[in-house]
Amino acid sequence: MNLTRWSARLPGTQRRSAVPAARAKVGDPVRADAADPATAPQDAGSGIAPDADPEGTRQAPGPPAGRATGPVPAAAGAGAVTDEPSVTGVLSRLPALIAVTHGPAHRVDFVNDAYTEVFGARTTGAPARDALPELDELGLLPLMDQVHRSGKPRTVKARKVVGGDDRSPAKPGYFTFTCTPVRAGDPDPERRGVLVFAADVTDQVHSAERLRESERRLHETAVTLQRSLLPQELEQPDDLRVAATYQPGGTDAAVGGDWYDVITLGAGRTALVIGDVMGRGVRAAAVMGQLRTAVRAYARLDLPPHEVIQLLDGLASEIDATQIATCVYAVHDPSEGRLSYATAGHLPILIRDPDGTVRRADEPTGPPLGTGGWIHTSGSVALGPGCTAVLYTDGLIERRGEDIDVGVDALMSALSGATGAPQVICDRLMRALGVTSEHDDDVAVLVLQYPDHTGSEAELFRNASLELLGGVEAAPRARAFASGVLASWRFPVELRDLGVLAASELVANSLKHGTPPMRLRLRRTDRRLIIEVTDGDDHLPRRRRAEPGDEAGRGISIIATVASSWGSRRTPGGGKAVWCEFALPG
């Protein structure tokens, strides 16, 4: 590095023709006045010529304040910078921290004013390990060794400086240090040196810290919003065991819009939903919250899965046309032992049979929510006693550089060996797929089990049904059937009477307003008695006020009065089902 040529290009310096030593050829004698700062043609720090003192009282200038002092060993080739007084003057006034050393021991030749303001006064001549201990503390000495040997510059970024001494305590801050070789081509290692250049980057570091803190708070806000919009406690249906888990992305990734929900529909049926809003941040979480609220509202209408998805598709476009979401909505009916579902661009449901076989629900799926222009359809898959179903988002299985089917296969393999309660299965699947707190995407998993009740527990879960044939004689037959079944289930007399009354009213309503085929179904769980009547007419009954002179219109009102809850829905094959429930005592 030719510091003479470099310093001539610095702002505020002049090209000097009065320094012969700077242009001397190899072997030329060096003028004494050029080597001795006391007899130099001009002062190194101010640039004022000695003959400008008319009184002759000016003395030879000493080292400027803050500049390094001390002997420079001539035999070591010292003077890489100090042999040019104007160079030291320029370097001393630079705001960056500068130190120059020579030889393998890095003996100090020069430190500038900015350096001493940060670390205190330093003397030259001694090795840097002793004279500049801060370089050792900052881990720069090994770097300087590399630069001295290789002749190539090295840089370390944003090192924190907290040192200093009693006379000049350090100003805490951050500096980026660059070690540049001096006289790299000189064969004599004692003449080769290293220039240490440190730029103050404290403001940049603090700005970056503030930005990271702002991003951290934003991430925490999004996670808090996301978790507050998810169900705080899952509904636990009578016939299913359900558990779910949600893992937000790592701290460097913005939270996404994954969600899940469990909704009891009545008559023993349960809706399960899981979805993923594409995108990240608070906006994705907000869209997710709106979709989840809409799903719960649509589910209360007890619509078929594909109709719920169709309604969500239109709503997603209205909420935000730029946000696209995937979703699967499924309904489990324990009386039929099946899981009906509709999918909008979501991953397939996985089913584990009691023998450990894993299968996927692979019926055709529609495009994601918000795309519009698609007629969704419902599919179904068997889910009988002893089966486990898993609904999940793509964060569980999707990996960079891998096809998504590879992830689905890995999940199926993990599910085949996963046994235990639903929450245990959730945890095992997360571990098996390598999901940790540092995972780069949100993950939501929903696991449901349809237990196979045996022994004494089987007495608490019973089904009975009767096909309603004939005309008016079907009503007394239905009453007799209901009375006998409820008595065999050992219900209290009062509950049996209410059950028989409800069955009679439902059957009478179906006989008058419905069409064949008709069926009465009784079901009990450990918590409730369910009475349901189906027929072939799709007109849904509604509760209305009957006038004093009306002969009809009181059946539904009676049922709503005596039962805990009631409802109606259209059945997939056409027709309707009307049901009511009674909570069991205890």
Side-chain angles (χ1 to χ4, degrees):
M1 175 179 182
N2 190 329
L3 289 175
T4 303
R5 182 176 303 168
W6 170 67
S7 64
R9 293 179 172 85
L10 289 173
T13 63
Q14 303 175 2
R15 294 184 179 272
R16 291 168 286 104
S17 60
V19 189
R23 295 186 296 274
K25 297 180 180 179
V26 178
D28 290 351
V30 179
R31 287 177 49 186
D33 60 350
D36 185 1
T39 60
Q42 61 181 21
D43 179 65
S46 64
I48 301 175
D51 55 7
D53 183 9
E55 299 296 327
T57 59
R58 183 180 182 90
Q59 299 178 359
R67 191 177 305 174
T69 61
V72 180
V81 172
T82 56
D83 60 356
E84 292 295 342
S86 63
V87 173
T88 60
V90 170
L91 296 182
S92 293
R93 290 191 295 271
L94 288 179
L97 281 59
I98 295 177
V100 182
T101 66
H102 73 274
H106 307 299
R107 293 186 177 275
V108 180
D109 285 339
F110 170 83
V111 293
N112 72 344
D113 296 345
Y115 194 100
T116 58
E117 287 178 5
V118 174
F119 293 108
R122 295 293 184 260
T123 58
T124 58
R129 185 177 298 276
D130 301 325
L132 308 178
E134 58 276 359
L135 298 185
D136 189 18
E137 295 172 1
L138 293 168
L140 292 177
L141 292 182
L143 197 69
M144 294 170 65
D145 291 339
Q146 296 177 20
V147 173
H148 187 271
R149 289 193 303 267
S150 66
K152 297 179 180 179
R154 295 287 188 272
T155 299
V156 292
K157 296 182 178 180
R159 290 292 174 92
K160 187 175 183 179
V161 170
V162 295
D165 56 27
D166 295 336
R167 291 175 298 174
S168 180
K171 300 176 182 177
Y174 293 84
F175 291 82
T176 292
F177 290 85
T178 300
C179 298
T180 304
V182 177
R183 291 176 178 167
D186 199 311
D188 185 358
E190 286 294 339
R191 291 182 60 82
R192 295 199 300 270
V194 177
L195 183 146
V196 180
F197 181 95
D200 188 346
V201 293
T202 304
D203 290 343
Q204 295 92 315
V205 171
H206 288 168
S207 296
E209 289 176 350
R210 288 192 295 269
L211 179 60
R212 285 194 295 270
E213 177 63 18
S214 176
E215 291 176 345
R216 184 190 64 80
R217 288 196 299 267
L218 181 61
H219 178 78
E220 290 180 353
T221 300
V223 170
T224 301
L225 175 62
Q226 173 87 345
R227 290 192 180 280
S228 67
L229 294 174
L230 291 174
Q232 303 304 302
E233 185 176 353
L234 289 178
E235 297 182 26
Q236 293 296 328
D238 296 359
D239 295 277
L240 295 177
R241 297 172 184 168
V242 184
T245 186
Y246 169 73
Q247 175 66 55
T251 54
D252 293 335
V255 69
D258 294 11
W259 92 93
Y260 55 84
D261 210 348
V262 177
I263 309 164
T264 54
L265 301 178
R269 300 163 68 251
T270 305
L272 307 113
V273 59
I274 195 165
D276 183 4
V277 177
M278 299 180 185
R280 296 184 180 276
V282 175
R283 181 57 185 166
V287 172
M288 174 275 290
Q290 295 177 78
L291 289 177
R292 176 176 173 258
T293 302
V295 168
R296 295 192 68 87
Y298 296 148
R300 298 304 178 192
L301 301 175
D302 214 341
L303 300 171
H306 67 276
E307 293 190 24
V308 172
I309 292 294
Q310 202 77 47
L311 292 171
L312 286 176
D313 185 27
L315 179 65
S317 300
E318 296 176 7
I319 293 175
D320 190 339
T322 64
Q323 293 279 3
I324 295 177
T326 64
C327 178
V328 57
Y329 179 86
V331 176
H332 177 253
D333 190 337
S335 299
E336 298 179 358
R338 299 193 70 80
L339 189 69
S340 302
Y341 65 92
T343 303
H346 206 79
L347 296 162
I349 301 173
L350 300 184
I351 310 292
R352 182 184 185 274
D353 292 324
D355 60 359
T357 303
V358 178
R359 49 198 169 89
R360 65 173 77 182
D362 270 339
E363 294 198 25
T365 178
L369 301 176
T371 56
W374 185 266
I375 303 300
H376 293 270
T377 58
S378 295
S380 67
V381 60
L383 184 71
C387 291
T388 299
V390 177
L391 292 76
Y392 51 96
T393 58
D394 58 1
L396 180 64
I397 62 168
E398 194 171 33
R399 300 294 181 270
R400 290 189 179 93
E402 290 185 2
D403 188 84
I404 199 167
D405 286 335
V406 175
V408 174
D409 292 341
L411 179 58
M412 294 178 67
S413 177
L415 179 59
S416 65
T419 57
Q423 188 59 59
V424 174
I425 294 177
C426 281
D427 297 339
R428 288 182 175 177
L429 294 181
M430 296 282 277
R431 288 196 301 269
L433 275 295
V435 178
T436 66
S437 59
E438 301 301 320
H439 197 60
D440 61 356
D441 194 8
D442 286 25
V443 177
V445 180
L446 179 62
V447 174
L448 59 133
Q449 288 180 337
Y450 184 21
D452 187 6
H453 301 291
T454 58
S456 60
E457 193 179 44
E459 296 295 322
L460 301 178
F461 294 85
R462 305 286 293 274
N463 284 281
S465 62
L466 173 69
E467 298 293 332
L468 299 175
L469 304 175
V472 293
E473 67 274 13
R477 231 181 9 252
R479 287 193 292 270
F481 174 78
S483 178
V485 169
L486 297 181
S488 68
W489 289 350
R490 301 177 183 178
F491 284 142
V493 174
E494 182 180 357
L495 181 58
R496 289 205 306 265
D497 291 343
L498 291 176
V500 171
L501 174 61
S504 177
E505 291 296 333
L506 290 178
V507 169
N509 185 76
S510 181
L511 289 173
K512 183 172 184 178
H513 302 288
T515 59
M518 292 179 286
R519 183 174 62 170
L520 168 66
R521 183 162 60 190
L522 305 179
R523 176 174 175 77
R524 73 156 295 169
T525 69
D526 58 342
R527 287 183 278 182
R528 72 197 77 230
L529 166 66
I530 302 167
I531 301 174
E532 184 179 66
V533 174
T534 60
D535 63 53
D537 183 77
D538 62 0
H539 177 73
L540 299 180
R542 60 184 178 87
R543 185 179 181 181
R544 62 185 179 87
R545 181 184 298 275
E547 298 297 330
D550 291 344
E551 296 295 332
R554 296 179 176 84
I556 297 298
S557 294
I558 293 173
I559 292 172
T561 301
V562 301
S564 302
S565 61
W566 77 280
S568 62
R569 71 179 188 279
R570 291 186 174 87
T571 53
K576 67 176 179 294
V578 185
W579 56 269
C580 65
E581 294 180 350
F582 295 87
L584 299 185

